[in-house]
Amino acid sequence: MTSFSPPATDLIDRLARARAVAASAGVDVLLVSPGPDLRYLTGYDAKPLERLTCLVLPVEGSPALVVPALERTAAEAAGADALGLEIVPWQETDDAYALVGTLLPGGVRQAALDNHMWAEKVLAFRAALPSVEQTLAGEILRELRMRKTTAEVEALGEAGAAIDRVHARIGEWLRPGRTEREVGRDIYDAILAEGHVQVDFVIVGSGPNSASPHHEVSDRVIQRGEPVVVDIGGTTEAGYCSDETRTYVVGGEPDDEIRRYYDVLQRAQAAATAHVRPGVTAESVDAVARQIISDAGYGEAFIHRTGHGIGMESHEDPYIVTGNTLPLEPGMAFSIEPGIYFEGRHGARIEDIVVVTEDGVESLNVRPRDLVVVDG
């Protein structure tokens, strides 16, 4: 696996663009704590601790990275100082939030805080900076993060290929008589073995559990001839995520009802994918899948949006859902994952990660999308 580490020039450009977007939004400073936003802007995958680590990125003035003194070496090793960031360590008895206040240029009226900042830190900033209005940085940073560069698409492609390899091995573990938890444990190990450094989720939904989109695993014993939804994903060393769903039938042919609605689902997923190109709206992709499923009489059984963006988070902008009129642009990456579910009985889902190209769409997952019958 090729590790993707943005060069300093790319990170410097991201910082500059973040400042420009913040300025246009009337924000005076960005305050970013550990998480995907900090890693995206600086390359520093900082530990989320009770001690404050915070990127201070003013629209005007010198940027700084405030870190606990014991984390200074890690920040330097990540190359933060090569980005023009002053690394400002603080000691255990210091007030880190007041320290951030001393680094702000005069006249700061509005600060945008990253969306995943812990509440205790948000409230501490409110107390330390009483005259500064707080807002969310998500609306600013989403404009950068949802348009992937060529290198980011390559990193997502590596993640997609890695999770494809896991799905290719499902037949090794999925068979009647095993529990969902046992199968999930094998899949968990394979996600790590096939090119991820972190497992984000493992869903093995058998029989009636296949009708619960966010079911994970249970001690239910998998039965012959029933559908099993396997939705899995992880994060690679590069920091980019995978996410792929296939539906399997174990040890026997499914009944005719499952075959009928799965055929509809497969057509809907393929048509929604084919619809993707620059200029169409996010909600129009959802509409294509939803129309096919509704016309076949299964509209009420499709109970979630068609997709979500993906990158350094499993779920991020853009969201493929009714009401999102955002026009798609090259570099946007997201899932296409319609599903049909009958509560208490069974269900199915097909999911691929796709990326918008200059003239269409590319799927980053290439496993067969047919209803896969696994011998058992």
Side-chain angles (χ1 to χ4, degrees):
M1 181 184 71
T2 302
S3 177
F4 167 65
S5 180
T9 51
D10 286 0
L11 295 171
I12 290 170
D13 178 65
R14 290 178 184 179
L15 290 166
R17 287 189 291 128
R19 295 172 88 166
V21 176
S24 67
V27 168
D28 300 305
V29 63
L30 292 170
L31 301 177
V32 183
S33 58
D37 288 331
L38 182 65
R39 186 171 184 181
Y40 176 82
L41 291 170
T42 69
Y44 181 29
D45 190 16
K47 297 177 181 179
L49 302 171
E50 74 282 3
R51 299 180 178 93
L52 180 69
T53 293
C54 185
L55 170 66
V56 182
L57 188 63
V59 168
E60 297 181 359
S62 301
L65 184 62
V66 173
V67 299
L70 74 169
E71 297 292 325
R72 178 173 187 164
T73 301
E76 291 173 342
D81 51 356
L83 307 179
L85 301 175
E86 179 188 3
I87 298 178
V88 182
W90 59 275
Q91 302 295 333
E92 296 283 25
T93 55
D94 293 339
D95 183 339
Y97 301 92
L99 174 60
V100 169
T102 68
L103 299 173
L104 301 182
V108 169
R109 291 169 296 177
Q110 188 172 88
L113 282 58
D114 73 88
N115 288 33
H116 299 311
M117 186 178 289
W118 292 357
E120 65 180 8
K121 294 177 169 56
V122 173
L123 294 177
F125 272 126
R126 182 174 295 174
L129 307 170
S131 63
V132 177
E133 180 185 354
Q134 294 180 359
T135 187
L136 291 173
E139 290 301 306
I140 294 168
L141 297 177
R142 70 187 287 270
E143 295 302 313
L144 280 65
R145 287 182 49 191
M146 72 177 172
R147 296 170 179 85
K148 271 63 177 182
T149 64
T150 299
E152 288 183 287
V153 171
E154 290 175 356
L156 281 170
E158 289 187 354
I163 209 67
D164 270 353
R165 292 193 294 271
V166 180
H167 270 287
R169 298 180 58 193
I170 294 297
E172 298 178 27
W173 316 301
L174 190 58
R175 57 183 179 271
R178 301 197 77 200
T179 67
E180 294 172 350
R181 195 177 309 279
E182 288 170 336
V183 174
R185 190 175 300 118
D186 290 331
I187 292 173
Y188 186 103
D189 293 341
I191 290 173
L192 297 177
E194 294 290 354
H196 300 78
V197 296
Q198 174 180 304
V199 177
D200 295 330
F201 53 90
V202 174
I203 294 173
V204 181
S206 65
N209 291 338
S210 64
S212 176
H214 280 178
H215 174 79
E216 292 185 354
V217 296
S218 74
D219 291 322
R220 183 181 186 277
V221 176
I222 298 167
Q223 304 297 313
R224 187 175 300 276
E226 64 184 12
V228 182
V229 172
V230 177
D231 183 354
I232 53 178
T235 302
T236 66
E237 185 179 7
Y240 286 79
C241 299
S242 66
D243 188 359
E244 182 178 8
T245 307
R246 293 293 184 265
T247 301
Y248 301 85
V249 175
V250 187
E253 293 295 323
D255 64 34
D256 289 343
E257 180 188 22
I258 295 171
R259 283 284 189 196
R260 282 195 299 271
Y261 72 71
Y262 192 87
D263 287 344
V264 173
L265 181 63
Q266 193 170 8
R267 285 194 290 111
Q269 204 264 351
T273 301
H275 178 75
V276 174
R277 60 188 180 277
V280 305
T281 63
E283 69 174 358
S284 72
V285 179
D286 178 273
V288 168
R290 203 164 297 279
Q291 189 66 54
I292 291 172
I293 292 172
S294 295
D295 286 349
Y298 299 114
E300 293 185 359
F302 182 11
I303 59 176
H304 55 70
R305 64 194 175 205
T306 293
H308 56 81
I310 192 168
M312 300 189 87
E313 294 178 273
S314 295
H315 288 195
E316 59 182 51
D317 290 293
Y319 291 97
I320 310 304
V321 64
T322 301
N324 186 0
T325 60
L326 177 75
L328 300 181
E329 298 178 29
M332 291 183 176
F334 47 86
S335 67
I336 296 183
E337 52 175 308
I340 296 175
Y341 313 96
F342 298 97
E343 186 175 357
R345 296 173 60 209
H346 43 64
R349 182 166 64 256
I350 307 169
E351 176 185 20
D352 290 323
I353 300 303
V354 305
V355 61
V356 184
T357 64
E358 292 294 332
D359 57 2
V361 63
E362 177 187 1
S363 178
L364 302 184
N365 300 115
V366 298
R367 293 293 303 162
R369 298 165 186 87
D370 297 331
L371 187 60
V372 179
V373 178
V374 178
D375 294 332

